[in-house]
Amino acid sequence: MLGLLLPSLALASVVSSATTCKCLYNDSCFPTSAEWDAFSKNLSQPVLQDQKPLNAVCFKDSGVYDADACAQVTANVVNPPFLTSKPNCLGFVNLEALVVNDTVQYCPRPFYDGETTCDQGRIPKFLVNATSVDDIQKTLQYATDHNLKLVVRNTGHELMGRSGGSQSLELYVNNFKNIDFDEQFVPEGAPEGTASEYAVTLGAGVQWFEIYAAADAKNRLVPGGFSPDGTVGAAAGWVLGGGHSVLSPFYGLGVDNVLQFTAVLPNGTLATLNKYKNPDLFWAFRGGGGPSFGIVTSTTYRTHENPPITAVFYAAQANGSAAYEQLLTTWMAQHNDIADAGWAGVWPFLANTFYLTFFTPGNPPQNPAANATMDKFFAASRAIPGVTVSLALSKVYPSFQQWNLDNLVNSQYGYGFNWTAGSENTTATSSWLMPRTLTAARNAAQLGRLFANLSVAVPYMVGGGAVAAVGPDETAVTPAWRTSVSDMTVLPGFATGGAAALTVGALDAMYQSAYDQIQPLRALAPPPAGGQYLNEPDMLEENWQAAYWGDAHYARLLAIKKEVDPRDLLIVKKGVNSEGWDDELLCKTT
Ligand SMILES: Cc1cc2nc3c(=O)[nH]c(=O)nc-3n(C[C@H](O)[C@H](O)[C@H](O)COP(=O)(O)OP(=O)(O)OC[C@H]3O[C@@H](n4cnc5c(N)ncnc54)[C@H](O)[C@@H]3O)c2cc1C
Ligand SMILES: *[C@@H]1O[C@H](CO)[C@@H](O)[C@H](O)[C@H]1NC(C)=O
Ligand SMILES: *[C@@H]1O[C@H](CO)[C@@H](O)[C@H](O)[C@H]1NC(C)=O
Ligand SMILES: *[C@@H]1O[C@H](CO)[C@@H](O)[C@H](O)[C@H]1NC(C)=O
Ligand SMILES: *[C@@H]1O[C@H](CO)[C@@H](O)[C@H](O)[C@H]1NC(C)=O
Ligand SMILES: *[C@@H]1O[C@H](CO)[C@@H](O)[C@H](O)[C@H]1NC(C)=O
Ligand SMILES: *[C@@H]1O[C@H](CO)[C@@H](O)[C@H](O)[C@H]1NC(C)=O
Ligand SMILES: *[C@@H]1O[C@H](CO)[C@@H](O)[C@H](O)[C@H]1NC(C)=O
Ligand SMILES: *[C@@H]1O[C@H](CO)[C@@H](O)[C@H](O)[C@H]1NC(C)=O
Ligand SMILES: *[C@@H]1O[C@H](CO)[C@@H](O)[C@H](O)[C@H]1NC(C)=O
Ligand SMILES: *[C@@H]1O[C@H](CO)[C@@H](O)[C@H](O)[C@H]1NC(C)=O
C-alpha cells in the first residue's frame, strides 16, 4: 500500500537502497480516533480530527457544506488577513494541490460552476491548535512516538507550501500573540556588565501589522516584511529564513536584529538561544529556515529610533520594447548609486511600465546625496524617447508606520504601483540575489535587455548599508546577502488566472516560467556570489543547498541539524537534511 505513495523516482532507484516511510493515514500504525482522543487530554484543547480544506464548505457532498460559509470564503478568496487566520488553507491554492499520477488533487478555491470534487490535497486532516509551550512539547513527543509527519503552520504565507503537507499532523502556532517591550533587555547568560538594549519579545504568531502598530505607539521601529496588510509572520518563518525589509539597508536583515529566541527543540527541550546560550543553534536559527531546527515560541528583536521618512513614488510607461529596455537600462545605470545615497524600496516592472515605491529616513533625508541622486534618475528617464513619466512624487511621512498604513493597508491613500490590488489565487515565485558587482553601471545595458524580457518582476532594494556591514558568516543566510543590493523576484502566477481547475500542465508551466526567467541571473552570478532567498523559493531549483546558503554554511547547518534532529522530525522540502526524502517528505530512500 505504501508503494502507491512513492514517487516514481523512488521506485526507479537502485535495488539495494532501503526506503523508510512516516506513518501514513491508512497505515495500521496510524493513531485511531480513540488514541487521538487520549492524546487530546494532554493538550489545552482537543486535536481537531478530520479537518477539511477551507473551501470544502462550498461542496455539496463534502460533509461540511454551508452556503453562508462558502459565500464568505468566496468573498475573501484573495484576502490575506482572512486566509492567514484560517489553519486549513495556504496563501495560494496551488500550494494546496497534490499532483498524483498526472492528476491534481485539491479543493478548488474559488468554487466555480461544474466543479464537484473537493480533494484533501496537501491540507492536513489532523490539527493541534497550540496555545502553550506545553502543547508544542506534547505534540513533538507524540509525533516522534508515532512516527508521524509533522508540519508547522503560522500564517501559511510560505511560497513553496512548506507550511502544509499531505498525510500530516499540523502544529498551528498562530495563537502566540504576546508583545512585550523591555527598555533594558539583556540576553540570558550574558556576562556581567553587558549593555542593555531597548527590545521587544514577540510570540511566534505575531504578524507585522501587529508589531508595526505596537512599536509605533512606543515611538520605536522594528524592521519587518513588506506585504499587503502586513500579514506576514514577524517572529517565525520570515526571520528563520533571513527576513528582508525595506528598512534593512538602515537596520539590517531580520536575523541581524534578533537578540534571542526561545524554541522547543525536536527532542522537546525548551531552550533559550542567543550569543551566549546555544550559540551554534542561535546561528542556525538565523537563516537555516523554518522549522528545521525547532519550533520558535518567541523572538526578541532590538528596536530602533522611529524617524520621519521621505518617500518617492514613480511610474513610467514605455511605448514599446525598445523604450522599455532603455528605461530599465537607465535605472540599472544608477541602481547602485541610488542605494548608496540612502534609498530603499521596491522597483516593480511589468507590461512596459516601471515603478518605484521608495523611501529614505529623515526629513530632509539624513543622507545628503539622496535628493539629487533620485532627481538625476527622474531627469534621465524623462529624456528617453518613447517614455512617459506619469508620476514622480516626493512625500514626507511622520513615521514608517504612517507610510505603511497609507500604502500597504489603506491603499486609497497610496500612489503608483497598487500593492493591495495585486493578490491572486495562485502563484509561483523565483528570486535571485544580485551581487553589487553585477548591478554595477557597466552592466546596465546587459541587465536592461534581460529584465525587459521578464513577465512580472518585483525586485526589492533591501541590501547594502547595514546589511553589508554584517560579516558573511555571522548568521546562516547565504553570504550573497552581504554583497547584494537588490533581490530580484519574479511572480509569473501573479497576473494569470481564470476560473478553471488547475491542471498539471498549467502548474508545470507556471513553475517552469519562474525558473526560466531567473536562469540568466543564475548563470551570471552563481552561488555563493549570488543566491536564492529561501523565503522566495523556486519550485525547480536543483542546486538549492548552494543557492540558499552557500556550500560552507550548508555543511555547518547539516552537521547541526543531524545533531538536533536525528530522527528527521522536522524536514521540509529543500530544507536542511531533506536529501533522500520525496517531495511530500513521506518516504526516504537511503
Ligand atoms: C504577500 C507576501 C509578502 C512577502 N513579503 C516578504 C518581505 O517583505 N520580506 C521577506 O523577507 N519575505 C517576504 N515574504 C516571504 C515570507 O518571508 C515567507 O512567506 C515566510 O515563510 C513567511 O513566514 P510565516 O511565518 O508568515 O509563514 P508560514 O507559512 O506559516 O511559515 C513559514 C515556514 O516557517 C515554518 N514555521 C512557521 N512557524 C514556525 C515556528 N513557530 N517555528 C519554526 N518554524 C515555523 C513553517 O513550517 C514554514 O516552513 C512574503 C510572502 C508573501 C506571500
Ligand atoms: C485511505 O483509505 C480510504 C478508504 O479505503 C481511501 O478512500 C483513501 O483513498 C486512502 N487514502 C490514501 C491516502 O491512500
Ligand atoms: C501525556 O503526557 C504524559 C506526561 O507528559 C505522557 O507520559 C503521556 O505519554 C502523554 N500521553 C499521550 C497520549 O500523549
Ligand atoms: C500511479 O501510477 C502507477 C504506475 O502506473 C500505479 O502503479 C499506481 O497505482 C498509480 N497510483 C495511483 C494512486 O493511482
Ligand atoms: C484555536 O484556539 C484559539 C484559542 O483558543 C481559538 O480562538 C481558535 O478559534 C481556535 N481555532 C480553531 C480552528 O479551532
Ligand atoms: C528634491 O528636493 C526638491 C526641492 O525640495 C523637491 O522638489 C524634489 O521633489 C526632491 N526630490 C526627491 C526625489 O525627493
Ligand atoms: C515611441 O516613441 C518614440 C518617440 O516619440 C518614437 O520615435 C517611436 O517610434 C515610438 N515607438 C513605438 C513602438 O511606437
Ligand atoms: C488599490 O486597489 C485597492 C483594491 O482594489 C483600492 O481599494 C485602492 O483604492 C487602490 N489604490 C489606489 C491608489 O488606486
Ligand atoms: C481568483 O480570484 C479572482 C478574484 O476573486 C477571480 O476574479 C479569479 O477568477 C480567480 N482565479 C481563478 C483561477 O479562479
Ligand atoms: C526571454 O525569456 C524566455 C523564457 O522566459 C527565453 O526563452 C528567451 O531566451 C529570453 N530572451 C532573451 C532575449 O533573454
Ligand atoms: C535536546 O537536544 C539538545 C540539542 O541537541 C541537547 O542539548 C539536549 O541535551 C537534549 N535534551 C535531552 C533531554 O535529551
Side-chain angles (χ1 to χ4, degrees):
M1 184 225 305
L2 295 185
L4 295 183
L5 295 148
L6 294 182
S8 50
L9 250 182
L11 293 173
S13 64
V14 279
V15 189
S16 61
S17 63
T19 297
T20 54
C21 295
K22 295 283 183 183
C23 181
L24 307 177
Y25 290 171
N26 282 356
D27 295 348
S28 57
C29 56
F30 200 78
T32 60
S33 188
E35 287 177 296
W36 286 116
D37 291 343
F39 173 45
S40 292
K41 299 208 167 72
N42 267 359
L43 301 172
S44 64
Q45 48 191 327
V47 178
L48 295 171
Q49 302 180 42
D50 203 21
Q51 282 272 112
K52 298 271 199 278
L54 180 65
N55 214 33
V57 292
C58 292
F59 290 79
K60 290 258 161 56
D61 55 7
S62 65
V64 293
Y65 176 76
D66 177 335
D68 291 342
C70 176
Q72 197 197 14
V73 176
T74 304
N76 289 288
V77 76
V78 293
N79 179 11
F82 179 80
L83 295 175
T84 56
S85 71
K86 305 290 177 194
N88 55 344
C89 67
L90 296 175
F92 300 92
V93 74
N94 58 299
L95 302 177
E96 300 177 12
L98 187 66
V99 175
V100 182
N101 279 4
D102 294 333
T103 64
V104 183
Q105 298 182 355
Y106 77 126
C107 188
R109 186 179 74 239
F111 177 80
Y112 51 88
D113 283 345
E115 183 54 57
T116 55
T117 310
C118 168
D119 281 315
Q120 191 76 24
R122 303 186 67 255
I123 298 300
K125 284 187 182 171
F126 299 86
L127 169 74
V128 171
N129 184 7
T131 62
S132 67
V133 167
D134 190 58
D135 283 345
I136 296 176
Q137 292 175 309
K138 291 276 174 16
T139 303
L140 295 192
Q141 186 63 51
Y142 194 76
T144 302
D145 290 349
H146 293 264
N147 187 31
L148 303 179
K149 182 184 158 195
L150 187 69
V151 300
V152 184
R153 160 68 150 76
N154 177 25
T155 69
H157 259 319
E158 201 283 322
L159 289 158
M160 206 192 263
R162 288 160 171 145
S163 35
S166 76
Q167 310 255 354
S168 54
L169 168 62
E170 173 177 338
L171 176 60
Y172 182 55
V173 297
N174 193 240
N175 291 310
F176 291 77
K177 292 287 192 184
N178 52 296
I179 297 181
D180 298 304
F181 289 90
D182 183 346
E183 292 189 34
Q184 294 181 311
F185 179 84
V186 178
E188 275 179 51
E192 197 75 16
T194 301
S196 68
E197 294 186 73
Y198 194 150
V200 63
T201 296
L202 308 179
V206 172
Q207 290 163 263
W208 284 114
F209 73 91
E210 295 163 316
I211 178 57
Y212 284 155
D216 195 53
K218 299 263 182 195
N219 199 22
R220 301 296 291 177
L221 186 58
V222 182
F226 183 99
S227 66
D229 300 295
T231 51
V232 169
W238 178 86
V239 65
L240 294 171
H244 72 59
S245 170
V246 286
L247 293 159
S248 289
F250 319 109
Y251 311 110
L253 295 173
V255 290
D256 303 331
N257 284 281
V258 179
L259 298 174
Q260 183 166 297
F261 290 109
T262 54
V264 179
L265 304 182
N267 65 8
T269 302
L270 178 66
T272 299
L273 318 179
N274 62 38
K275 216 161 119 178
Y276 312 101
K277 295 184 89 174
N278 298 300
D280 270 4
L281 275 171
F282 185 51
W283 180 85
F285 270 64
R286 286 176 297 155
S292 298
F293 297 87
I295 315 300
V296 169
T297 58
S298 73
T299 299
T300 303
Y301 288 114
R302 73 168 52 90
T303 69
H304 300 274
E305 286 180 3
N306 191 28
I309 63 169
T310 300
V312 297
F313 302 94
Y314 171 92
Q317 290 74 32
N319 69 350
S321 54
Y324 190 44
E325 193 179 310
Q326 210 186 330
L327 175 60
L328 293 168
T329 297
T330 300
W331 167 251
M332 290 315 299
Q334 305 191 29
H335 171 277
N336 288 359
D337 289 348
I338 298 249
D340 293 344
W343 293 100
V346 192
W347 41 284
F349 54 93
L350 66 163
N352 288 352
T353 305
F354 178 73
Y355 300 91
L356 296 176
T357 299
F358 266 50
F359 66 76
T360 189
N363 170 35
Q366 289 165 8
N367 189 315
N371 182 290
T373 310
M374 186 60 82
D375 275 348
K376 186 179 161 201
F377 166 69
F378 288 171
S381 67
R382 282 197 175 94
I384 303 169
V387 167
T388 307
V389 176
S390 56
L391 176 71
L393 173 74
S394 176
K395 185 175 158 73
V396 173
Y397 293 84
S399 67
F400 171 79
Q401 170 63 348
Q402 195 59 50
W403 174 88
N404 172 57
L405 289 174
D406 286 2
N407 292 285
L408 297 176
V409 182
N410 309 306
S411 75
Q412 68 270 27
Y413 304 118
Y415 305 92
F417 191 86
N418 191 330
W419 294 97
T420 64
S423 296
E424 262 293 347
N425 312 304
T426 61
T427 199
T429 310
S430 187
S431 65
W432 205 254
L433 294 164
M434 302 182 290
R436 65 178 292 140
T437 47
L438 178 65
T439 54
R442 65 175 177 279
N443 298 325
Q446 182 185 14
L447 292 184
R449 191 158 56 242
L450 198 159
F451 292 168
N453 191 33
L454 303 181
S455 59
V456 180
V458 184
Y460 296 87
M461 185 183 275
V462 289
V467 177
V470 176
D473 302 324
E474 280 186 44
T475 69
V477 300
T478 170
W481 266 117
R482 306 305 173 186
T483 53
S484 297
V485 171
S486 280
D487 166 27
M488 170 57 75
T489 302
V490 295
L491 299 162
F494 205 78
T496 60
L502 295 174
T503 62
V504 179
L507 290 177
D508 284 351
M510 187 163 75
Y511 301 143
Q512 190 68 48
S513 168
Y515 179 89
D516 288 350
Q517 293 190 53
I518 286 297
Q519 186 52 29
L521 291 175
R522 276 190 195 88
L524 286 168
Q532 187 161 93
Y533 178 32
L534 83 107
N535 278 344
E536 290 160 356
D538 183 317
M539 289 283 185
L540 306 180
E541 188 67 45
E542 309 106 340
N543 192 16
W544 49 269
Q545 299 90 337
Y548 294 162
W549 296 288
D551 288 336
H553 286 189
Y554 189 69
R556 184 172 169 195
L557 285 168
L558 190 58
I560 297 171
K561 170 72 174 175
K562 285 180 173 169
E563 195 180 322
V564 74
D565 187 16
R567 298 182 60 178
D568 286 2
L569 180 64
L570 298 171
I571 300 284
V572 287
K573 185 174 176 181
K574 294 182 183 175
V576 176
N577 205 21
S578 64
E579 293 89 348
W581 284 93
D582 63 60
D583 276 357
E584 277 300 310
L585 301 316
L586 298 178
C587 295
K588 184 180 185 184
T589 306
T590 48

